[in-house]
Amino acid sequence: LMCTAPPTSQQGEVSLTLTGHGMNISAEAVRYMYDSAMTVFALEPSFGIRGVHNVVTVIGENFVESESLACRFGAVKAAAQLISNDRVLCYVPLEWAGSSVVEVSINGMDFTMDGVVLSCREPPTISSFWPQVVVAGSKRIITIHGGPFAHETAHLCVFGREPPVAAHVANVHQLECASSTFSAGNVSVAVAVDGVISEPSRLLLQVVPRWQV
């Protein structure tokens, strides 16, 4: 049996009974809760990377704890976690593959209808970088070509197992990073965008000893 709850402007519990032909069928009333209407204002970040495990913070109001708390990306439901009454974490499903509206529900059925869109971006790639050879123990600016790179997002360069370093976005297809003082050997090069790391470049950064220079 499915019932449609009538709209109300009042928040709080009401009694719910089942009736038929003017008579109560249920033995006793159950409690039904009306919460304040939730609203979605914005998403952080406002985009996701295709094919990776994205996590998005939904910013809004009147969010409450519920076992049935859920997000919806287009028509696909996803797990959610309450952070505060104005923040919910949404775990973007891997099958998400395009820009879509993100809504929130506390019962898994009735979702907000605010139309805030999570845009979809392709993961960044590296086509080349320069220089491809550096001297051990020295620092150089490494220019990475590929993309897409965006000025409004945080980019990091990842050299081998070294801690990531901040990158400067020169344009949509070019990054600039200061290399670490590597030891001699070959070093992989990758890019991280908002914590999502790209596939390392097939090219390796060659670090040569000083005595070879």
Side-chain angles (χ1 to χ4, degrees), residues 124-126 128-131 140-147 149 153-171 173-182 187-201 205:
T125 59
I126 298 174
S128 64
F129 55 85
W130 188 90
R140 286 292 303 271
I141 297 298
I142 307 296
T143 301
I144 295 176
H145 300 278
F149 308 125
T153 56
H155 292 71
L156 299 172
C157 290
V158 185
F159 297 103
R161 296 182 179 180
E162 296 291 322
V165 295
H168 167 69
V169 179
N171 57 58
H173 296 298
Q174 183 174 308
L175 288 180
E176 296 173 348
C177 300
S179 68
S180 300
T181 54
F182 303 115
V187 179
S188 62
V189 179
V191 173
V193 181
D194 279 344
V196 178
I197 301 178
S198 69
E199 288 293 326
S201 168
L205 178 65

Side-chain angles (χ1 to χ4, degrees), residues 14-18 26 28-32:
V14 297
S15 61
L16 173 63
T17 57
L18 184 63
S26 54
E28 58 183 48
V30 297
R31 308 304 294 173
Y32 182 82

